[in-house]
């Protein structure tokens, strides 16, 4: 997911550095990924770990010295749990045409009236695109223009975030019991939400603008939405990077629609892949295998005549001969151009919601079984078929 963000940022002229921020403990895999991404995109990339989960505004405020150390004139902030065409260059040009050099830009897109309530809603001046009103997840309809979680800021944003921080500190000093959940009052004050705490106050001040995109955008809040995001990216590749997609060749597997195959993967010539399939590094696909609407991560092995539909196959997992692994897609309404993917709850009426099937890393599925609408946690060796279950 993050590689798409990095690639988009690396294309912006004058991009000096890319910083990844999060509360996530860095590990060897992340470090390896950052090194290879630096080499591929030829831009310095660093990971900055928050000492606590600080919210969307608290994180960048905590690391403001690192962000500003290179004398940045402006910087982008991208939430990691979205997929998009990332029109970053267009946002830069838009800011030059609207407002002034100190204004901030939110990327917005159109949602349908019902789903808009699940997002930050933006009311803007129709001619200038200045944000006049901002509400995060309103209880009643406010606007069809929603916040995409992609922003263009100047260093001046830190003054506005700093005001929120100082206000939080003052409130803690006046009402110390508010900080009882945390032993550290400072930690509580530094938790700042860009959307609720900063954008709501900036709306109507003449400093915040929205750039509306017609390009694709989706949030990625569940495994099912990862499959949908993969489809959107593969479709984009068909236009912008057709060389990245697999083609039908004599003696090769049958390719239907948009399919990505890593060069190190081994695919039998009798396999049928697609549409919307991504095959990772070192994957082995046997004879007669059928894969559709799925992501197969590195090192996985699909033995002869397996069928994999609407599924994420984790790293180094194995699916035995003649097994069938299938999930249920949770796609947006195809007849509504503004429909977004819904964040399905894991359970409904006490039962697991039918969704994409997920196999964690190093899962072994035996031959001739059916796994349907299930989530299998890592390092499991199954012995029979499962339906609508979470296998712990």
């Amino acid at each position: 997911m993050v590689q798409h963000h990095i690639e988009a940022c690396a294309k912006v002229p004058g991009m000096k550095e890319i910083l990844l921020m999060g509360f996530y403990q860095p590990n060897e895999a992340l470090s390896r990924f950052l090194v290879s991404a630096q080499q591929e995109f030829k831009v310095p990339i660093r990971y900055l770990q928050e000492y606590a989960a600080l919210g969307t505004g608290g994180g960048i405020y905590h690391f403001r010295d690192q962000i500003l150390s290179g004398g940045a004139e402006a910087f982008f902030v991208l939430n990691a749990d979205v997929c998009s065409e990332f029109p970053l260059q267009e946002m830069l040009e838009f800011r030059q045409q609207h407002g002034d050099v100190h204004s901030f830009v939110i990327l917005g897109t159109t949602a349908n009236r019902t789903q808009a309530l699940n997002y930050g809603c933006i009311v803007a001046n129709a001619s200038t695109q200045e944000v006049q009103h901002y509400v995060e997840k309103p209880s009643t309809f406010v606007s069809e223009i929603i916040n995409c979680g992609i922003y263009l800021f100047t260093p001046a944003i830190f003054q506005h975030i700093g005001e929120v921080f100082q206000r939080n500190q003052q409130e803690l000093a006046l009402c110390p019991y508010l900080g009882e959940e945390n032993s550290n009052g400072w930690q509580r004050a530094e938790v700042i939400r860009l959307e609720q705490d900063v954008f709501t106050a900036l709306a109507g001040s003449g400093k915040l603008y929205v750039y509306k995109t017609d390009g694709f955008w989706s949030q990625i809040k569940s495994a099912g939405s990862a499959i949908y995001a993969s489809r959107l990216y593969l479709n984009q590749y068909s236009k912008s990077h057709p060389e990245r997609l697999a083609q039908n060749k004599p003696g090769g597997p049958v390719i239907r629609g948009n399919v990505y195959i890593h060069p190190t993967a081994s695919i039998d010539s009798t396999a049928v892949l697609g549409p919307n399939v991504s095959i990772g590094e070192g994957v082995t696909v046997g004879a007669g295998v059928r894969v559709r609407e799925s992501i197969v991560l590195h090192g996985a092995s699909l033995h002869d005549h397996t069928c994999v539909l609407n599924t994420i196959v984790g790293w180094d997992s194995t699916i035995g001969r003649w097994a069938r692994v299938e999930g249920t897609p949770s796609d947006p309404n195809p007849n509504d151009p503004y429909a977004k993917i819904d964040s399905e709850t894991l359970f409904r009426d006490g039962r697991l919601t039918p969704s994409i099937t997920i196999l964690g890393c190093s899962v072994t599925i035996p031959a001739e079984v059916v796994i349907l609408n299930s989530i299998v946690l890592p390092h499991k060796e199954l012995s029979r078929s499962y339906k609508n279950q979470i296998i712990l």
Side-chain angles (χ1 to χ4, degrees):
M1 283 162 60
V2 175
Q3 179 155 342
H4 293 287
H5 293 63
I6 292 173
E7 182 175 9
C9 290
K11 288 178 180 173
V12 177
M15 182 64 68
K16 293 290 191 290
E17 186 178 32
I18 296 172
L19 302 174
L20 274 67
M21 294 178 193
F23 185 43
Y24 177 79
Q25 182 75 34
N27 59 17
E28 190 185 330
L30 179 65
S31 302
R32 229 178 13 247
F33 165 71
L34 294 182
V35 169
S36 66
Q38 272 194 132
Q39 293 168 344
E40 182 178 353
F41 299 111
K42 306 201 169 26
V43 61
I45 305 172
R46 288 188 291 147
Y47 178 71
L48 304 176
Q49 185 188 2
E50 300 171 349
Y51 66 89
L54 299 176
T56 49
I60 61 171
Y61 187 68
H62 180 68
F63 290 114
R64 59 194 180 280
D65 292 341
Q66 302 261 26
I67 294 169
L68 300 176
S69 62
E73 296 172 22
F75 60 96
F76 289 99
V77 173
L78 292 75
N79 282 296
D81 61 351
V82 299
C83 79
S84 173
E85 279 185 298
F86 298 113
L88 305 184
Q89 187 62 35
E90 292 87 334
M91 290 173 72
L92 277 169
E93 291 165 3
F94 170 85
R95 194 183 61 132
Q96 289 164 358
Q97 296 160 3
H98 294 73
D100 58 35
V101 290
H102 300 297
S103 60
F104 316 122
V105 180
I106 301 176
L107 183 68
T109 192
T110 307
N112 65 37
R113 289 178 70 97
T114 307
Q115 291 182 313
L117 303 178
N118 301 323
Y119 300 88
C121 293
I122 301 164
V123 178
N125 181 301
S127 57
T128 65
Q129 301 307 317
E130 182 205 331
V131 175
Q132 296 172 319
H133 188 51
Y134 183 91
V135 188
E136 186 68 21
K137 294 179 181 158
S139 54
T140 57
F141 177 76
V142 172
S143 168
E144 291 169 343
I145 306 303
I146 61 168
N147 177 2
C148 292
I150 298 166
Y151 315 121
L152 172 59
F153 292 142
T154 66
I157 193 70
F158 292 121
Q159 178 187 337
H160 300 284
I161 301 175
E163 288 168 4
V164 176
F165 173 60
Q166 288 169 350
R167 192 164 66 243
N168 287 353
Q169 278 192 313
Q170 287 167 359
E171 287 176 2
L172 272 174
L174 291 170
C175 308
Y177 63 86
L178 288 175
E180 282 176 7
E181 294 171 32
N182 286 315
S183 57
N184 187 340
W186 157 269
Q187 179 176 321
R188 181 69 177 241
E190 210 178 2
V191 174
I192 299 166
R193 304 161 301 177
L194 269 178
E195 297 78 14
Q196 293 97 319
D197 299 331
V198 180
F199 293 162
T200 305
L202 277 175
S205 68
K207 295 181 177 139
L208 190 61
Y209 290 79
V210 58
Y211 173 73
K212 287 185 273 192
T213 179
D214 295 322
F216 75 83
W217 177 88
S218 179
Q219 62 177 2
I220 308 175
K221 298 288 189 188
S222 65
S225 48
I227 294 282
Y228 178 62
S230 178
R231 185 192 311 167
L232 295 175
Y233 280 131
L234 289 168
N235 184 53
Q236 184 191 31
Y237 283 174
S238 69
K239 302 170 191 134
S240 61
H241 294 285
E243 74 283 356
R244 293 183 182 178
L245 298 180
Q247 307 294 330
N248 282 299
K249 295 176 183 172
V254 177
I255 303 298
R256 294 181 178 166
N258 298 327
V259 175
Y260 169 80
I261 301 174
H262 194 276
T264 60
S266 173
I267 315 291
D268 191 275
S269 61
T270 59
V272 180
L273 308 179
N276 305 312
V277 167
S278 177
I279 303 289
E281 186 177 350
V283 167
T284 304
V285 176
V289 169
R290 180 71 176 102
V291 186
R292 189 179 75 211
E293 298 281 353
S294 296
I295 297 170
V296 184
L297 296 170
H298 70 246
S301 180
L302 312 185
H303 290 183
D304 296 353
H305 307 293
T306 60
C307 185
V308 177
L309 312 173
N310 301 302
T311 293
I312 297 173
V313 180
W315 308 279
D316 301 316
S317 287
T318 302
I319 301 178
R321 289 165 56 95
W322 295 102
R324 183 182 183 93
V325 182
E326 184 175 358
T328 300
S330 50
D331 299 339
N333 180 356
N335 300 315
D336 181 352
Y338 300 125
K340 307 300 175 196
I341 198 159
D342 282 318
S343 292
E344 282 282 0
T345 54
L346 205 53
F347 295 95
R348 190 189 298 141
D349 300 327
R351 295 182 179 181
L352 187 65
T353 309
S355 65
I356 297 299
T357 285
I358 311 150
L359 308 183
C361 65
S362 303
V363 165
T364 302
I365 305 291
E368 301 179 22
V369 303
V370 177
I371 307 297
L372 183 64
N373 294 334
S374 294
I375 298 171
V376 185
L377 269 68
H379 308 289
K380 299 293 166 203
E381 191 166 331
L382 305 189
S383 57
R384 60 178 178 85
S385 296
Y386 286 90
K387 178 182 178 183
N388 298 334
Q389 290 196 44
I390 297 177
I391 298 147
L392 304 173

